[in-house]
Amino acid sequence: MPNDLDSFLFRFVLEYLQRKGYKGAADALRNALASEVPEDFHNPPLDMDDQVRNFLEFFLFVREEEKGLVEDYGKIYRWIDGCLEVVRVELGQLTYPLLVYLYLDLIRRERYEESQKLLEEWAPKFFEQSVRDELFSLKGVRRREQLNDNPVSQLYLKHRREIFVSQYAFELLCDFLVEHRLTSVFRCIMEHFHVKMEKDSQVIGSEDSKSSIGFFPYQEFEVLQKNEIHWRPLKESDYIVQEQDSQPESHTTLEGNTVDSNEVHPSIPIPKYPVGSAMLESEDDKLRRVSLGIETLPSSLMYTFSNTYDDMNCVDISVDGSTIVAGFDDSFIRFWDGKECGQYRLVGGKPLIGHCGSIYSVSLSPCGRFFLSSSEDGTIRLWSTKLERDLVVYKGHLFPVWSVEFSPLSHYFVSCGHDRLGRLWTTDRIFPLRLFGGHYSDVETIRWHPNCCYIASGSSDRTCRLWDLRDGNSVRLFGPHSASVCSLVFSNDGKKLVVGLENGQIEFWDIVQGRRISRLEGHNGPIWCLDVSKDDIFFASGSSDCFVHLWNVQSLNNSLQSTLSRDQLLVKSFQTKDSAVYCTRFSRKNLLLVAGANL
Amino acid sequence: MHNKEPNKNTNNEENTSQVTDKVLPEPEDARAIANILKAVGVESFDTRVVAQLVEFVYKYIGEVLELSKTFAQYAQREDIKQDDVKLAISSLLSKSFTQPPSRDVLLQLCRERNAVPLPAVETYVGIQLPPKEFQLTTRNYQLKRKTTTESLASQELSETTGNTSVGESSSQRNQVEFSTMDTSE
């Protein structure tokens, strides 16, 4: 007769293997011990060590409670919904990820009907939110073997989800779980979540209790917060060829500028231009620049394209407002030179043919004589407006390139696309110099920092990243946002980043500290374009809801409220007659230039 | 007359899936595709989309099965097994549905490329272009010099008579042959 302890252990090991899904090993064990194992057992024998016994009892207890995960989730959901406001905001972070992890656990244990039931009953509650795409992707995971192939399930299983709650809320949660014996839920939380007791839960967007947040790499976020960002503007001597032969240091001290505290040395080689160069701001620009304020709003000029038949994808206006370039779905690019054609009505537009796919982005150089275009065929082309033809093809992305931008000092440009990378190029090399990899999904938009040392990229994984050009590393992570990022702009002092999202929200981030300053309900549609005035007083946003809004951001530094209402910041609103706005640009003289397509 | 009425309706109204459902019975495959579309979240779609997708599915499955038949034959088996199908699918994946490389591969590529320091910038005026062979404005043809019998004869003549001017002008009358060069286009 087999020893009680032995038979118990055999049975226990068999249960463990079956629970974890190691079918082969379980079958082998069962075959080996066919005759010796009793069919059933309830209690561990009495002559065991107390600690081991407690563990085994808990394990068995948990096994019995595993049926009815769907009802368990329901209980938790309803309880969290019915909690006090403060607690609900904190524990609300839990509901959506818990659903995902329970679903994945059920799939892993091959309890397929239960998993489908869980999703059918509870997923519709989250369909209104940004996590809808993740849920649709997870719906496709029906079998255990598919867990490895699905990108969303991989992300969730590889990373532990971080939850920021206060001590009080967490204790409430534990009490509730123990009281209702939701041990499986408890186990899931212990296994997949990383609960952090933080008093300061402003770090992650817990202000917004209504929207659930999809996957976000919290650990990376924490690590990157510690990086130091050199946000200050460049010294003029770094990009302007000085006429005197004296040393730059003595030159600047003569003028009274302090050298190190106000300005930064560029970390990458940048081009230098002589004083009268077309690449730089002219004296005329500086003198005639309109100084804006609440009393003096910028004048605005809008170019509306008609008869585009919804084919126009992108527009760019030069900084002096004279040249406009537009890219179309039929792979044509048209440009209009305002100086040639006349002031009010630009007719025709010379079509430029070169790409073999829709054009998704165009970017004019600061001198206005060249521009870049990026397309669905994976290439970027450099065009000359004087020669009216393309000059160079840059191949590197093999997938659609969503955005391209010339650096403010020319010579360099960056591009980003569907292959989840951003690339740094120079106009004289057909291979990229830097690759910026780190986003989890396509990179939609990419922008230069005013001091040319950093790049910001926004992606459809609902985060933005700041990259250092010298070594290509990500130095900041901005997120999580409630929708994918459509547009970005840096403020001219280099300290703030304005992010426009696909659901019409605008978010302000402080780059130096890596914190969100505030959030704004800007528009009713995706925000296609943003630009900041040269003195950082106003910024303009344009969207597909046919409005251009002008916002006052001077007060932003003073108020650190989490969500601002529109009335506080909105200064003026321009409504176009049914034209989606594709480009807003403040010229060097602070004139607001807007371009849109009237379908 | 009875038959004509349904046709009239379909011509006038929009060709949505809801309308055609009432008029004609849908083949099973089309119904399956329509269900798949609805499951992914596409609520309304044209019937032509369903037809297009059905064609695509038939073509793809045909390719997979042909390839798996080849694999089965290679293994000297008559019937196609699940492993053959799996192998066929994974071999076609690299050809038809190329995806961007996985995150690990991307990060490694980035590390390799970013280790190279940025090249220095020399002071120029205007925009710098890459070397001539990478520009699109380069000459993408080559002149090939071919000596004709005329020019050979005149060369002989010039040698014997010492009249170099004659020889020069005839050798300049080269036959131009065009051969395209590989450009970066």
Side-chain angles (χ1 to χ4, degrees):
Chain A
M1 175 144 153
N3 191 355
D4 251 359
L5 178 60
D6 281 340
S7 61
F8 171 75
L9 280 176
F10 290 150
R11 193 70 207 179
F12 177 79
V13 172
L14 201 59
E15 279 280 340
Y16 176 79
L17 289 173
Q18 276 179 334
R19 174 100 61 86
K20 283 289 181 180
Y22 301 126
K23 270 213 167 120
D27 288 339
L29 184 62
R30 196 181 290 119
N31 290 338
L33 308 170
S35 53
E36 297 176 0
V37 178
E39 275 311 304
D40 200 12
F41 66 105
H42 290 285
N43 296 316
L46 296 163
D47 58 343
M48 274 175 101
D49 191 7
D50 261 343
Q51 275 188 338
V52 179
R53 189 197 164 141
N54 286 339
F55 168 73
L56 293 178
E57 267 188 357
F58 176 72
F59 192 76
L60 296 177
F61 174 62
V62 166
R63 171 181 74 90
E64 285 164 20
E65 296 298 319
E66 265 200 22
K67 299 152 200 161
L69 260 179
V70 185
E71 287 85 35
D72 288 350
Y73 181 75
K75 283 185 204 161
I76 280 245
Y77 186 90
R78 279 185 283 268
W79 176 73
I80 291 182
D81 229 8
C83 269
L84 283 180
E85 184 67 36
V86 183
V87 176
R88 183 172 56 187
V89 163
E90 292 183 358
L91 294 181
Q93 295 170 57
L94 197 61
T95 43
Y96 170 71
L98 188 61
L99 176 66
V100 175
Y101 280 119
L102 284 177
Y103 178 73
L104 292 176
D105 274 349
L106 285 171
I107 298 267
R108 204 163 46 168
R109 291 201 192 112
E110 299 182 10
R111 285 153 66 173
Y112 298 130
E113 295 104 32
E114 256 191 274
S115 65
Q116 291 316 306
K117 213 173 131 206
L118 180 67
L119 218 55
E120 268 166 31
E121 214 180 301
W122 294 104
K125 306 267 180 198
F126 299 100
F127 276 175
E128 297 301 309
Q129 302 162 25
S130 59
V131 291
R132 186 189 171 153
D133 299 324
E134 282 192 357
L135 278 171
F136 271 128
S137 180
L138 283 173
K139 259 183 168 183
V141 179
R142 299 288 173 111
R143 291 274 171 277
R144 205 188 146 167
E145 297 81 31
Q146 294 169 338
L147 274 179
N148 277 336
D149 297 327
N150 187 290
V152 177
S153 64
Q154 276 297 287
L155 281 180
Y156 271 91
L157 289 174
K158 271 192 198 160
H159 298 89
R160 286 181 111 197
R161 181 67 181 237
E162 301 215 346
I163 298 285
F164 300 85
V165 290
S166 61
Q167 183 93 2
Y168 173 63
F170 188 61
E171 279 177 12
L172 266 186
L173 178 69
C174 289
D175 288 341
F176 176 79
L177 290 175
V178 170
E179 189 190 317
H180 292 259
R181 298 180 142 218
L182 303 173
T183 41
S184 47
V185 173
F186 186 72
R187 208 154 45 79
C188 181
I189 294 179
M190 288 294 116
E191 192 182 336
H192 292 292
F193 288 83
H194 192 178
V195 182
K196 284 193 149 181
M197 317 272 196
E198 295 256 329
K199 297 236 171 69
D200 179 19
S201 53
Q202 288 281 326
V203 177
I204 305 296
S206 58
E207 308 102 28
D208 197 351
S209 61
K210 291 185 194 110
S211 76
S212 313
I213 299 166
F215 171 74
F216 182 71
Y218 289 100
Q219 290 90 353
E220 208 183 336
F221 181 80
E222 303 269 298
V223 169
L224 292 176
Q225 289 290 76
K226 299 175 193 146
N227 289 329
E228 201 195 320
I229 310 284
H230 306 289
W231 52 272
R232 296 181 193 277
L234 291 172
K235 278 196 287 190
E236 289 216 334
S237 58
D238 285 323
Y239 61 92
I240 300 181
V241 173
Q242 300 295 329
E243 280 152 17
Q244 287 101 328
D245 288 331
S246 58
Q247 293 168 9
E249 284 85 359
S250 59
H251 185 76
T252 49
T253 50
L254 278 172
E255 285 181 3
N257 287 336
T258 52
V259 178
D260 282 337
S261 59
N262 270 352
E263 288 150 332
V264 77
H265 289 284
S267 55
I268 60 166
I270 52 172
K272 275 193 170 189
Y273 298 105
V275 173
S277 169
M279 303 284 192
L280 304 169
E281 289 183 333
S282 63
E283 285 305 318
D284 189 49
D285 285 334
K286 288 184 207 160
L287 282 174
R288 297 255 191 97
R289 181 170 298 162
V290 178
S291 54
L292 303 172
I294 306 283
E295 312 297 317
T296 46
L297 297 181
S299 330
S300 68
L301 172 67
M302 172 150 184
Y303 293 98
T304 309
F305 291 80
S306 13
N307 299 330
T308 55
Y309 301 109
D310 212 6
D311 263 1
M312 194 165 83
N313 285 327
C314 51
V315 187
D316 197 23
I317 313 179
S318 65
V319 281
D320 59 352
S322 63
T323 316
I324 304 183
V325 184
F328 294 83
D329 257 346
D330 50 10
S331 81
F332 282 21
I333 298 174
R334 290 176 210 269
F335 84 95
W336 291 264
D337 197 346
K339 290 183 210 144
E340 248 183 49
C341 301
Q343 285 175 332
Y344 296 111
R345 204 155 158 263
L346 307 180
V347 186
K350 300 178 178 63
L352 300 173
I353 306 174
H355 279 290
C356 3
S358 335
I359 313 286
Y360 287 124
S361 165
V362 280
S363 168
L364 278 156
S365 77
C367 61
R369 289 198 289 260
F370 298 93
F371 66 91
L372 288 163
S373 62
S374 80
S375 147
E376 181 198 355
D377 61 2
T379 62
I380 303 164
R381 283 177 192 245
L382 177 70
W383 304 78
S384 157
T385 54
K386 292 285 182 277
L387 295 177
E388 293 171 19
R389 63 156 295 156
D390 47 355
L391 300 172
V392 193
V393 183
Y394 303 96
K395 293 183 191 172
H397 294 278
L398 298 168
F399 295 94
V401 188
W402 301 127
S403 179
V404 73
E405 208 199 2
F406 250 116
S407 112
L409 290 173
S410 214
H411 188 258
Y412 289 107
F413 64 93
V414 282
S415 64
C416 65
H418 177 62
D419 56 355
R420 291 176 258 138
L421 289 177
R423 287 169 200 247
L424 172 73
W425 313 73
T426 44
T427 49
D428 57 1
R429 280 176 174 74
I430 54 168
F431 294 107
L433 294 173
R434 287 281 178 268
L435 298 178
F436 307 117
H439 277 291
Y440 288 93
S441 174
D442 325 12
V443 190
E444 304 278 343
T445 175
I446 198 160
R447 282 284 174 265
W448 285 85
H449 191 279
N451 71 7
C452 289
C453 296
Y454 294 100
I455 296 269
S457 64
S459 153
S460 52
D461 66 358
R462 296 180 300 268
T463 61
C464 292
R465 281 173 192 254
L466 193 67
W467 307 89
D468 183 357
L469 291 182
R470 188 174 37 174
D471 45 13
N473 291 333
S474 180
V475 292
R476 278 276 188 271
L477 182 60
F478 301 113
H481 296 119
S482 48
S484 53
V485 180
C486 277
S487 50
L488 290 172
V489 77
F490 278 100
S491 64
N492 286 97
D493 58 11
K495 277 198 269 189
K496 292 196 274 286
L497 179 67
V498 187
V499 180
L501 303 177
E502 209 176 353
N503 58 4
Q505 285 187 358
I506 301 176
E507 306 226 347
F508 300 93
W509 287 86
D510 179 350
I511 298 170
V512 185
Q513 295 184 354
R515 302 181 125 235
R516 178 185 278 135
I517 301 177
S518 61
R519 180 185 284 154
L520 185 60
E521 298 282 337
H523 288 264
N524 290 329
I527 297 180
W528 295 130
C529 45
L530 293 168
D531 200 22
V532 181
S533 71
K534 296 297 174 218
D535 36 23
D536 280 341
I537 299 180
F538 292 112
F539 88 93
S541 63
S543 151
S544 64
D545 65 352
C546 307
F547 272 92
V548 175
H549 291 312
L550 196 63
W551 313 87
N552 177 7
V553 283
Q554 260 181 327
S555 53
L556 212 54
N557 287 326
N558 307 331
S559 71
L560 283 173
Q561 286 169 307
S562 48
T563 313
L564 292 168
S565 69
R566 295 172 77 179
D567 311 316
Q568 285 171 301
L569 292 191
L570 185 60
V571 174
K572 188 132 171 89
S573 205
F574 301 102
Q575 184 175 18
T576 66
K577 282 186 209 161
D578 216 21
S579 309
V581 179
Y582 286 118
C583 175
T584 53
R585 183 64 92 102
F586 275 95
S587 76
R588 283 190 178 138
K589 297 186 178 134
N590 276 340
L591 176 69
L592 176 60
L593 301 159
V594 181
N598 185 0
L599 306 157
Chain B
M1 246 180 71
H2 227 10
N3 287 341
K4 280 187 194 165
E5 280 175 5
N7 288 339
K8 267 197 225 161
N9 288 341
T10 49
N11 281 338
N12 292 339
E13 285 164 335
E14 258 193 303
N15 237 353
T16 56
S17 59
Q18 288 137 349
V19 174
T20 48
D21 263 355
K22 293 175 195 155
V23 176
L24 295 165
E26 252 187 350
E28 229 179 82
D29 295 330
R31 215 177 314 136
I33 296 277
N35 285 335
I36 292 176
L37 281 172
K38 282 182 192 140
V40 180
V42 182
E43 276 130 37
S44 66
F45 42 86
D46 208 13
T47 37
R48 285 173 290 183
V49 172
V50 176
Q52 190 91 310
L53 284 173
V54 167
E55 289 239 3
F56 166 75
V57 167
Y58 281 169
K59 184 159 174 271
Y60 177 67
I61 291 183
E63 276 178 15
V64 168
L65 287 177
E66 266 187 44
L67 197 58
S68 43
K69 180 91 185 164
T70 327
F71 287 138
Q73 276 177 358
Y74 178 78
Q76 279 143 10
R77 262 184 277 126
E78 274 300 321
D79 309 321
I80 302 179
K81 295 259 159 79
Q82 199 189 48
D83 294 329
D84 297 325
V85 180
K86 278 191 190 170
L87 197 58
I89 292 177
S90 56
S91 358
L92 281 178
L93 200 65
S94 50
K95 264 198 278 174
S96 24
F97 306 113
T98 40
Q99 288 229 320
S102 72
R103 198 178 148 79
D104 310 319
V105 173
L106 278 183
L107 290 177
Q108 188 171 4
L109 274 176
C110 293
R111 252 174 280 142
E112 279 172 32
R113 180 56 66 108
N114 296 342
V116 179
L118 290 172
V121 181
E122 297 157 45
T123 318
Y124 290 103
V125 177
I127 280 196
Q128 294 317 300
L129 292 179
K132 271 232 159 109
E133 56 264 23
F134 298 116
Q135 292 176 30
L136 295 172
T137 44
T138 53
R139 206 161 68 155
N140 60 352
Y141 55 88
Q142 232 176 3
L143 289 183
K144 197 167 153 183
R145 290 183 174 224
K146 190 172 172 186
T147 50
T148 58
T149 46
E150 288 174 8
S151 53
L152 273 175
S154 63
Q155 267 176 10
E156 279 177 18
L157 193 63
S158 63
E159 278 165 16
T160 51
T161 57
N163 197 350
T164 50
S165 59
V166 174
E168 274 174 16
S169 58
S170 56
S171 64
Q172 276 167 13
R173 212 189 307 123
N174 295 318
Q175 237 180 3
V176 175
E177 276 191 21
F178 283 87
S179 61
T180 51
M181 273 167 50
D182 271 330
T183 57
S184 52
E185 224 164 340

